Structure formats: C-alpha cells, structure tokens
Amino acid sequence: MYETERKELVEQLKKRGITNQALLDAFLKLERHQFVPDVIKPHAYNDVALPIGYGQTISQPYTVAVMTQALDPKPGQKVLEIGTGSGFQAALLYQMGVRVFTIERNEKLYNRALKIFDRLELKIAARCSDGSLGWEEFSPYDGIIVTAGSPGVPNYLKKQLAINGKMVIPVGDKFTQTLKILTKKSVTEFQTDEIPYFAFVPLIGKEGWNEK
Ligand code: SAM
C-alpha cells in the first residue's frame, strides 16, 4: 500500500540533501501509514509533521531524515531514542539494523507504540519513563537521539553516551531549537556541530522543561 507515495517521498528527501543510502532504503521500506491514526493515513507520505493525539506529533519525514543522517548509525550499534511518540523513528533505526532502546513519557502513546512494534514484529526495547534521565541499565549507547526540544543537554544523557558516540538533540526555547550534534571525545569533552531552525514539542522532565 502507498508504494508510489513512499517512492515520491524518498525522491523528495534525496533532492533536499539526504544521501545516506541505508537511511533512504529504510524510508523506502518502512510504512509510515502504520504509525498514524486511521484518519491521518491518506496524509502519511506528505513531508509534514502529523498529529498522533495527546498534543503530540509524528515528526516531519525530512526532520527525521536530517536527524538520522546526523546520527549516522551503523548496523549492530546501540541507540537510545528519547520520545517514542508514534514509534516511527525507532522503527526506522531498527530497519537500519540498529539495536534500539526508546523511552516515552506518555503512557497512552507508549502503549500504542508497543502494539505497533508487536504487530510489525520489530524487536525494540521500550519503556515508559522520563527520558531526560536516560536508561542507565543498557548504557553506554553508541548514539542518542532526542526527538523533543530541550532547554539544554541533559547530563544523564551525556554520561550514558559511549566515547566516540554521537548525540542528536534539539536545544532552544519552547518554540524553536537548534539541532545540536555532539560527539563525545572523552568523559568530559564533546565536539558540537549545529543545524539551525527546528521546531519540536517540548521535552518534559527533570532535565527538560517543567510540566506547566
Ligand atoms: N520520535 C517520534 C516519532 O517518530 O513519532 C516523535 C516524537 S514527538 C515529536 C516527541 C515525543 O516526546 C512525544 O511523544 C512526547 O510525549 C515525548 N516526550 C516529551 N518529553 C519526554 C520525556 N522526558 N521522556 C520521554 N518522552 C518524552
């Protein structure tokens, strides 16, 4: 289903500068319409963020692609995602051969994502908790990807990143953020690159924004 639309979306991503072939292949295979509510399915291959309920969104495909290209995950690596939402980003990483750990704070979205992972037979480790604290048990991670906007880079996540690991995280105010790409050079040193102009829903948690 929606094969033509999926191919067209991948062509658009290529035109906008996405070159990572493993990522483009994963986008071609993964059915985005499986991750959105029924009424939204006809719009699943438009390059836009879409509502998934509870005031949350499935990120725009281009944004997912830019973040994943920046993370540059390799098969067999361990990646922690903060903000499971629909489950699409986690599934995309899984499709690329990554060992995926994902955290969602909203219980309803968490349960919905679990059902989707189950239905599509995706072996993704998921938990419902405050992702700004990370998931220490399985650390260190080769990559950490945060899909909600944060006021800063949570210290717990810095600690749980492996040496030479990469973290991709939108940092800014509640409305606009800069995508920060951190490479951990040593226990205390990080090299940081930036891509401006992103807009994510807020990361709510102990090391994110307060609930209210
Ligand atoms: N990655 C998702 C996808 O592929 O659909 C999109 C994520 S949506 C833009 C951001 C998600 O982050 C929301 O589902 C929100 O509930 C979640 N979130 C916000 N703060 C969080 C936190 N501290 N820990 C875990 N999840 C959080």
Side-chain angles (χ1 to χ4, degrees):
M1 249 181 125
Y2 297 111
E3 211 167 309
T4 310
E5 288 84 348
R6 219 162 23 255
K7 280 187 185 152
E8 281 170 7
L9 175 61
V10 169
E11 287 310 311
Q12 280 180 47
L13 295 176
K14 280 193 205 167
K15 278 191 194 137
R16 293 191 69 184
I18 303 302
T19 53
N20 180 320
Q21 196 54 48
L23 170 60
L24 292 167
D25 289 346
F27 255 103
L28 206 52
K29 284 207 191 99
L30 193 62
E31 299 185 330
R32 192 171 185 247
H33 68 269
Q34 303 274 11
F35 296 82
V36 297
D38 283 351
V39 287
I40 308 282
K41 286 195 194 305
H43 308 284
Y45 297 95
N46 296 349
D47 191 15
V48 289
L50 294 167
I52 53 171
Y54 314 102
Q56 303 302 329
T57 53
I58 176 171
S59 304
Q60 181 185 359
Y62 176 67
T63 300
V64 174
V66 168
M67 292 180 81
T68 310
Q69 184 157 278
L71 190 70
D72 194 22
K74 302 286 188 259
Q77 286 189 337
K78 236 179 353 172
V79 171
L80 175 66
E81 180 202 23
I82 311 302
T84 315
S86 69
F88 181 81
Q89 171 76 74
L92 192 76
L93 291 166
Y94 180 83
Q95 188 75 51
M96 293 174 78
V98 167
R99 293 162 62 197
V100 186
F101 297 79
T102 183
I103 307 179
E104 171 57 54
R105 71 182 286 274
N106 179 306
E107 206 177 345
K108 299 239 167 63
L109 288 175
Y110 165 75
N111 284 322
R112 194 201 279 165
L114 280 192
K115 280 195 192 128
I116 296 174
F117 294 157
D118 206 35
R119 176 157 46 83
L120 301 180
E121 298 182 355
L122 309 174
K123 290 182 183 59
I124 290 171
R127 79 188 272 195
C128 187
S129 62
D130 174 5
S132 73
L133 304 177
W135 192 344
E136 197 180 359
E137 192 183 348
F138 298 102
S139 67
Y141 299 95
D142 304 299
I144 297 181
I145 182 164
V146 182
T147 65
S150 180
V153 183
N155 281 319
Y156 288 89
L157 300 185
K158 281 186 178 170
K159 275 195 197 128
Q160 291 173 26
L161 190 63
I163 304 289
N164 294 321
K166 268 190 187 178
M167 184 181 343
V168 179
I169 177 168
V171 175
D173 61 30
K174 281 194 176 165
F175 306 101
T176 56
Q177 303 91 29
T178 295
L179 201 61
K180 300 223 178 224
I181 302 144
L182 284 81
T183 307
K184 188 162 174 172
K185 295 290 178 192
S186 72
V187 174
T188 52
E189 281 171 307
F190 291 82
Q191 178 200 307
T192 307
D193 296 306
E194 296 187 347
I195 310 178
Y197 312 125
F198 285 85
F200 283 83
V201 293
L203 179 80
I204 298 184
K206 190 161 176 254
E207 294 229 357
W209 296 98
N210 293 331
E211 187 129 23
K212 293 260 158 64

